[in-house]
Structure formats: C-alpha cells, structure tokens
Amino acid sequence: MTLIRDLDQASQVARGGAISIGNFDGVHRGHAVLLKQLRQLADEVGGPAVVLTFDPHPASLLRPDQAPVPLTWIERRADLLYRLGVDRVIACRPTAELLGLSATDFFQQVIRERLDCQAMAEGPNFYFGKDRQGDVEMLGQLCQRAAIPLRIVEPLDNQGQMVSSTMVRASIADGQIEAANAMLTAPYRISGLVAVGSQRGAGLGFPTANLSDLQVLAPAAGVYAGQTWVGGTAYHAAIHIGPNLTFDEGQCKVEVHLLDFTGDLYGERLEVQFNRRVRGIVKFASVDDLRNQLGRDIATVRNEPLS
C-alpha cells in the first residue's frame, strides 16, 4: 500500500478515521496490541485506521547526538503496520515548524483540521507538542472537549517489563536475536548496499556480499543464521558481523553468504533477515581451521527453515 509522505497528501486520503501517533520503530508486539484497538475504533467510526509516524525520528532534528539508531527503515515499518490492519501510514518529515507546535496547536491543526480525527488510540507514555508538553492526560481533555473517543492501551508485558522499542534495540545490540524476534511481530531485518570487499571469502570457497550504508541497527558481532531475497527467491544466508580476527583485520563488517546463489550483486540493496545466532566470532589458528568452521556454519544455516 502507498506510504503517505506529508500532511497535505494525508488531508486528501486519510481523513475521518481513527488515529494513532508514534514512532512505531520495530513494530513490536506491544504495538500490535495498540493497533488492534485502533482497528476496532476505525471500524466503529466507519473510517480508516491511520498511523501518523515520523521519518526520520524527531530526535535527529532536536537532539542529533541522542537520536536512536532505527530498527526499521520507513518502507519496512509501513509494510509491517499494514500487515497489522492499518489502512493509511503517514510518514511526516519532522520540521522545525511541525515540532514547534504547542500541544494544543498540534491537536487542533493536525489531528482535528488536517485529519478530521474521529477516534484515537495511544499508549500511556504518549507525548506530543513542543518540548513534549502534551501527555495522555492533556490528550484526554482535548479529546473530551472535541467529542473524540480515546483509548489508552496498556503496553504488553514481557516477563515483568513492558515491550518497547528500547528493549528490542538492547537485545539486538547484545546479539540476542531470538529474544528480539520474540518481541517483534516479524523477524528482524537489516538493509544495506552490496559493496566490493576484500574477496577473501571467495578465496575460501564462501563468497560473501559485503553490506554498506546500513539503514538500521546491526546486531552485535557474531555469526547468524538468516535469509535474504534476490529477484523474489529466498536464499539461506550465513551472516558474519564484526572484524575478521583470523586475518588481524579490525574493521567491523557485515558479510552475507547466500547459500546456492551464483551471480553479481554489487550495487544491489539487500534485505537480510536474522533468525538466530549461531556463535560468536573467534580467531582461528589457521586458515584451514577457519575454512572448516565455515563449512560447519553453512551446514547449520542450511538446516534452518525459510520463512
């Protein structure tokens, strides 16, 4: 479905529905609980289920040094939101003008006038307006005055902690892919451009696609089992992240070996899915030891199911 890039376009195709505003980074299970309520509200008011998000994160403009590394690029995020029953995804670029609106002005100008909102669903930690001056209590008061139904949806509990993008990000940064995937609505993916590498993998019998220009957070150093897609065909993928210790290379790289694939991928953008962590990275005593371990890694990856 089409990704709406600005509020002018949204004013034409996303009016009169139920709205939820937020970053929705990662689109995790807590988001899914909220979006289920959004879908119900949209059906009740007879309008579209609308998510208003931001690309890039507002912190990239307000606090660039504190902006979190994204978990999803915007097209991936929109696709995951659509899968959960959302009808329209608006990805606003945060501008000084938009972020400078007071909470009441944002509610009046964006939620009411631009989008003709008929219902809202938000989490308890929702903030809006300049300097995050608006919270759910203020939102409740504004919605009540405007006769707009509002549902505050409690976050999903995960072993005593709420599921959040921060929790997911911490698991990925620590290499705990299975834990992250358990919190997400779909397995974690990265996206990157295939660049020319050292060609060492090909010399070992395991050619790799070296990814650059990553759009999202890369997992911690390690070897992972996953998959990728070329021309609509899914391939098992053995993914190595980190420096090549055996050859005393300190540069952290993301290298992807596609099982049973032959062809040139240079300059292509690959989506790579992470299913589970296989092992950490180690320095091998010899190239033969490394080659033998790579063979075992490939055998492990091959036994993983493709989704």
Side-chain angles (χ1 to χ4, degrees), residues 224-229 233-239 256-261 272-273 275 297-307:
Y224 298 85
Q227 62 193 74
T228 190
W229 296 262
T233 300
Y235 292 89
H236 288 97
I239 309 146
V256 184
H257 173 67
L258 283 64
L259 278 63
D260 306 320
F261 174 81
V272 180
Q273 176 171 300
N275 294 334
D297 294 340
I298 298 302
T300 298
V301 170
R302 190 180 294 280
N303 287 329
E304 293 287 314
L306 291 174
S307 59

Side-chain angles (χ1 to χ4, degrees), residues 28-31 33 153-158 161-164 183:
H28 53 66
R29 291 171 56 213
H31 292 141
V33 173
V153 183
E154 289 299 319
L156 187 68
D157 186 77
N158 180 55
Q161 300 182 49
M162 75 174 187
V163 175
S164 67
M183 290 185 278

Side-chain angles (χ1 to χ4, degrees), residues 161-302:
Q161 300 182 49
M162 75 174 187
V163 175
S164 67
S165 299
T166 300
M167 283 184 64
V168 175
R169 188 174 288 107
S171 292
I172 292 169
D174 197 37
Q176 300 180 40
I177 287 298
E178 288 106 324
N181 285 345
M183 290 185 278
L184 295 170
T185 57
Y188 188 65
R189 292 186 188 180
I190 65 172
S191 172
L193 288 174
V194 180
V196 177
S198 64
Q199 310 295 317
R200 186 173 285 122
L204 293 169
F206 304 99
T208 60
N210 293 268
L211 298 189
S212 64
D213 188 34
L214 297 187
Q215 295 184 324
V216 294
L217 177 66
V223 175
Y224 298 85
Q227 62 193 74
T228 190
W229 296 262
V230 178
T233 300
Y235 292 89
H236 288 97
I239 309 146
H240 181 281
I241 298 179
N244 197 319
L245 301 178
T246 304
F247 295 97
D248 295 322
E249 291 182 351
Q251 180 185 4
C252 183
K253 297 184 291 184
V254 179
E255 302 172 283
V256 184
H257 173 67
L258 283 64
L259 278 63
D260 306 320
F261 174 81
T262 56
D264 185 353
L265 293 173
Y266 292 125
E268 298 288 331
R269 181 165 288 277
L270 282 186
E271 287 187 24
V272 180
Q273 176 171 300
F274 290 77
N275 294 334
R276 72 180 185 90
R277 181 182 172 95
V278 175
R279 62 174 175 87
I281 59 171
V282 296
K283 181 172 183 175
F284 292 94
S286 68
V287 172
D288 284 340
D289 287 347
L290 170 61
R291 184 183 290 110
N292 291 335
Q293 181 59 57
L294 292 176
R296 290 190 289 270
D297 294 340
I298 298 302
T300 298
V301 170
R302 190 180 294 280

Side-chain angles (χ1 to χ4, degrees), residues 32-157:
V33 173
L34 172 62
L35 295 173
K36 183 177 180 180
Q37 294 297 312
L38 180 71
R39 179 72 263 167
Q40 291 179 1
L41 283 170
D43 292 340
E44 290 173 11
V45 301
V50 180
V51 162
L52 172 59
T53 188
F54 302 92
D55 181 44
H57 194 290
S60 65
L61 182 65
L62 299 172
R63 302 176 299 278
D65 57 329
Q66 299 177 31
V69 181
L71 299 174
T72 45
W73 59 99
I74 190 59
E75 293 82 6
R76 169 73 170 163
R77 196 186 325 168
D79 179 61
L80 294 172
L81 290 168
Y82 286 134
R83 292 187 200 180
L84 293 174
V86 173
D87 297 310
R88 305 282 190 273
V89 176
I90 307 166
C92 283
R93 183 170 186 83
T95 63
E97 180 183 6
L98 181 62
L99 299 179
L101 291 174
S102 68
T104 52
D105 285 344
F106 183 88
F107 182 84
Q108 181 63 33
Q109 296 178 28
V110 176
I111 296 174
R112 295 201 65 190
E113 295 175 4
R114 290 290 190 99
L115 299 177
D116 185 27
C117 175
Q118 298 300 304
M120 292 193 72
E122 296 295 345
N125 296 324
F126 175 67
Y127 294 92
F128 64 107
K130 184 179 180 181
D131 299 326
R132 293 161 57 93
Q133 63 186 223
D135 56 13
V136 291
E137 183 178 355
M138 177 184 284
L139 181 63
Q141 294 170 355
L142 293 170
C143 283
Q144 185 175 28
R145 292 173 196 160
I148 294 174
L150 169 66
R151 288 186 192 171
I152 302 300
V153 183
E154 289 299 319
L156 187 68
D157 186 77

